[in-house]
Amino acid sequence: MAVGARSGSGGEEPERRPGQDDERVAGPVGERPGERAGEPAAGPGAAEAAPGGGSAGPGPHTGGDGGGDDGGGADGDGPRRGGSKQRSFWKELPLLIAIALVLALVIKTFLLQAFSIPSDSMQNTLQRGDRVLVDKLTPWFGAEPERGEVVVFNDPGGWLDFPPPEPNAFQQALSWVGLMPSADQQNLIKRVVGVAGDTVECRRGGQVTVNGEPLDESSYLYPGNTPCGDRPFGPLEVPDDHLWVLGDHRQNSQDSRYHMDGPAGGAVPVDDVVGRAVVRAWPVDRWGALSVPDAYDELSAAAPAALGLVGAVPLVLWRRRLRAATEPATRG
């Protein structure tokens, strides 16, 4: 019979070629090799029903049935993807809060910190209640305050004659992470006028001078104030690693002029400086950068030129004397 001829003699299975089992990739669970998902399994005599007289015997499985294996694999991935559920937002919220707190602490410690202005000593540059952001990064790289900068510094001792207000728990928590100024710290904010080695002076009715150069303070001095009409000072030299600071509202500022009887003659140690105030951040309508006035740029440029001139005069005189001494010998 034809069936017997196709299925082999004696009931024996046809010989399989090497690698044939590898080509029959198994599909999803419940399918037999070469069967599509959703089709009934082929029973006895299925080989005779194959078009073209083909058989299910030896040979590579390259027919349409083989494509079902690949398709079944894609279906098998579905349960695995559906089984992994996304974490709930409320479970991730504590992690997000922890990350935010760590970032806030890093920013407060190394980058920026907010401070509130409690007095009128820096009007009109800063008004009472303004919030400023203080740069705390550059001092870590060895940068020191320069003339004209507005700096926040810790009380050197005896500058503030009143205790700080007692903060509540909410203020303490916000100040700890840097979202609010530290209410328990004794900080002041002033403008740097002189740095270490500078000679500063201000006579009654005159201007502040730095190393003999008059300082034009008209761009920031409070209207109606004089540079030092209420408290003249100097001439005095700013000690090493110290700063001479003044308030912009000169007649309402307990600055270096009022503490000249102290150990540093009114100068503030650089180590007490928290950082430079760079931005007026609040209120929004007063937002702006706290830049160095042009008068200090001109002062900084004039000082090296003056020093160069002073150093050049002895050199020119020495060269003239040397030339005068060598000219007779050359003529002889």
Side-chain angles (χ1 to χ4, degrees):
M1 296 176 60
V3 174
R6 290 183 178 268
S7 21
S9 59
E12 296 179 356
E13 294 184 359
E15 180 182 356
R16 296 186 179 182
R17 293 182 297 177
Q20 184 177 359
D21 290 340
D22 298 335
E23 295 175 358
R24 295 177 179 267
V25 181
V29 178
E31 296 182 15
R32 296 181 181 179
E35 294 177 354
R36 292 175 181 255
E39 294 184 358
E48 291 83 355
S55 69
H61 188 74
T62 57
D65 293 342
D69 298 334
D70 297 335
D75 296 336
D77 292 339
R80 288 195 296 270
R81 287 197 298 266
S84 58
K85 297 181 180 179
Q86 292 184 350
R87 298 178 61 181
S88 171
F89 170 76
W90 298 108
K91 292 182 179 179
E92 293 183 349
L93 184 60
L95 178 61
L96 296 176
I97 294 176
I99 294 175
L101 290 176
V102 171
L103 290 177
L105 288 174
V106 170
I107 292 173
K108 171 189 173 183
T109 305
F110 301 103
L111 301 179
L112 295 171
Q113 185 175 0
F115 285 88
S116 177
I117 307 303
S119 69
D120 301 327
S121 65
M122 284 297 293
Q123 287 179 323
N124 278 330
T125 303
L126 297 172
Q127 301 288 353
R128 185 191 296 263
D130 284 355
R131 301 289 193 272
V132 296
L133 296 182
V134 174
D135 170 26
K136 302 179 69 174
L137 177 63
T138 52
W140 287 90
F141 295 94
E144 294 187 356
E146 299 180 358
R147 303 186 195 99
E149 294 180 349
V150 177
V151 296
V152 173
F153 56 94
N154 298 321
D155 185 356
W159 283 44
L160 296 175
D161 54 1
F162 54 87
E166 187 67 26
N168 55 41
F170 181 70
Q171 291 175 328
Q172 287 180 334
L174 292 182
S175 63
W176 184 71
V177 298
L179 299 180
M180 283 188 63
S182 299
D184 59 344
Q185 293 182 355
Q186 296 282 64
N187 299 124
L188 300 99
I189 184 166
K190 306 292 179 187
R191 188 180 299 275
V192 178
V193 174
V195 296
D198 286 344
T199 299
V200 294
E201 181 182 7
C202 185
R203 298 179 180 180
R204 189 179 299 275
Q207 291 178 285
V208 175
T209 63
V210 180
N211 299 325
E213 293 290 330
L215 184 61
D216 182 8
E217 300 184 278
S218 58
S219 63
Y220 59 82
L221 199 64
Y222 187 76
N225 279 195
T226 58
C228 60
D230 60 328
R231 187 66 65 109
F233 60 90
L236 55 90
E237 183 177 346
V238 181
D240 291 341
D241 300 322
H242 284 71
L243 306 169
W244 185 264
V245 297
L246 299 174
D248 289 356
H249 194 166
R250 204 60 49 88
Q251 270 70 62
N252 191 19
S253 176
Q254 300 286 327
D255 44 39
S256 291
R257 300 168 298 159
Y258 288 82
H259 304 280
M260 291 187 292
D261 56 348
V268 176
V270 174
D271 291 341
D272 288 341
V273 175
V274 177
R276 174 191 172 188
V278 292
V279 174
R280 186 174 48 240
W282 187 264
V284 177
D285 58 350
R286 286 180 46 77
W287 187 95
L290 298 173
S291 57
V292 175
D294 295 338
Y296 289 92
D297 294 335
E298 298 172 1
L299 182 66
S300 300
L307 293 175
L309 179 61
V310 171
V313 171
L315 180 61
V316 172
L317 294 176
W318 176 77
R319 290 187 62 184
R320 292 185 62 181
R321 290 181 181 178
L322 181 61
R323 182 180 298 178
T326 57
E327 279 183 355
T330 302
R331 293 175 182 175

